[in-house]
Amino acid sequence: MDVGKKFTTASRSLSSSSLKDRLSKLSVTPLKPITIHSNIEFAPARIPRKRRMQMLAVAAWSVAIALATVLFLFLCSIPALWPFLAAYQIWITWIDQSPEHGGKTSQWFRELGFWKYFADYYPASFLKEAELPPDRPYVFGYHPHGIIGMGALATFATEATGFSAAFPGIKPHLLTLASNFRMPFYRDIILAMGVCSVSKKSCSNILKSGPGSAITIVVGGAAESLSAHPGTADLTLRKRLGFIKIAIQHGADLVPVFSFGENDIYEQMPNQPGTTIHTLQKKFQSVFGFTLPLFHGRGLLNYNIGLMPYRRQIVAVIGKPIHVEQCDKPVIQEVMRVQQMYIEELTRIWNAYKDQFAKARTRELSIIE
């Protein structure tokens, strides 16, 4: 026991006395700073107020559905409001038919400064090729669909780009899926913008409401959104005959609109036909009527990761109207003939402006189906 104690004490004494000497003999290696490599491109701290307002406007609209839903659920947590919310729900579900009957357009709401910031973010604008006399109805066909159709919103659902000033007497109505009008509060916002349901009944009610009435249909729909890749212009058009038939039935002139830059504001995951992603997206579309493109853009504080669109120019070229003769029951041959005229005019627009507004294109205009 004493030997153990002596050994332990000696060891500790030896270590204590020699520690300083041993440490002094160690070679000192300078510490190197650790560098974290990142591909995130952060936005600078100082940005002009105008650009911040533009960014906030686009960010607010990008999450408008989510914000409206959260607000509705929050109000549902207040028992005192339940009778009012129940009455509102009954109103939008069974009573209010405005999405099918021309909407509730508010010119004041369309002219809000908010929308000017929204359009200037990209910036979004349009180029007018011809006058449109307000003595007849019109059907605007918008191409391409893009991921969300921000250019269509800025041009036809707001006055941010000056549509009414350029086409006096024309009353535009951008059309969207009827499911959007089942979302509390959000539906009231888009109704004030002049947005209506894309159903056949809605189209007919608007076009027969009088001269100057106009509808804008994003023709490619959900199927075309899967082809929205930067630098491309792949359109889903050959099988889309419904909007042409409606135009003929109501004697409405057809106006092709090609939006340069619409496909460039988001990046989408590779989903060429035949890939697993594309197959799943098409299956989802067949079940639910819409699809979910896997896309990304930029964020609030960075330039390359997030769900906000990139700042890339959008120019919607509004082409020359194609006059059609009114016919209640057009034969398929007449519908196909008008469709061919429409495609030729759309192709002319592309060829006339591609070198000006699509310099970064990776391939030419293609009608894929």
Side-chain angles (χ1 to χ4, degrees), residues 127-136 138 140 163-170 253-255 318-322:
L127 191 154
K128 171 184 173 181
E129 279 202 325
E131 296 292 337
L132 299 179
D135 59 352
R136 68 200 70 174
Y138 291 93
F140 293 87
F163 183 89
S164 294
F167 299 101
I170 306 298
D253 284 5
L254 277 163
V255 184
I318 301 177
K320 301 174 183 177
I322 298 170

Side-chain angles (χ1 to χ4, degrees), residues 209-247:
S209 63
S213 298
I215 59 175
T216 300
I217 301 176
V218 185
V219 178
E224 193 173 273
S225 68
L226 300 181
S227 304
H229 295 275
T232 68
D234 299 333
L235 307 184
T236 300
L237 181 56
R238 292 285 183 191
K239 299 178 182 179
R240 305 293 171 128
L241 301 174
F243 76 107
I244 294 177
K245 186 176 180 180
I246 287 174

Side-chain angles (χ1 to χ4, degrees), residues 9-133:
T9 303
S11 299
R12 289 176 179 172
S13 177
L14 177 63
S15 299
S16 176
S17 62
S18 62
L19 181 59
K20 184 176 180 179
D21 181 58
R22 291 184 180 183
L23 288 175
S24 64
K25 294 179 180 179
L26 293 175
S27 60
V28 180
T29 304
L31 295 175
K32 295 181 179 180
I34 299 175
T35 304
I36 300 177
H37 297 282
S38 173
N39 292 324
I40 301 178
E41 184 182 354
F42 288 99
R46 295 184 178 180
I47 296 178
R49 179 181 176 277
K50 184 177 181 180
R51 288 178 67 85
R52 287 191 183 278
M53 294 297 291
Q54 293 167 358
M55 181 176 63
L56 289 175
V58 173
W61 179 254
S62 298
V63 296
I65 294 177
L67 289 176
T69 302
V70 169
L71 176 60
F72 182 76
L73 293 176
F74 170 75
L75 295 178
C76 286
S77 68
I78 305 175
L81 297 179
W82 288 355
F84 302 100
L85 294 176
Y88 174 74
Q89 195 65 43
I90 293 172
W91 168 261
I92 68 175
T93 305
W94 291 291
I95 300 177
D96 184 23
Q97 298 298 315
S98 57
E100 300 285 339
H101 293 83
K104 299 177 180 178
T105 305
S106 169
Q107 196 65 19
W108 169 84
F109 191 77
R110 286 171 56 93
E111 294 176 355
L112 281 178
F114 174 90
W115 302 118
K116 184 63 177 175
Y117 285 120
F118 176 88
D120 288 346
Y121 171 87
Y122 303 97
S125 61
F126 70 84
L127 191 154
K128 171 184 173 181
E129 279 202 325
E131 296 292 337
L132 299 179

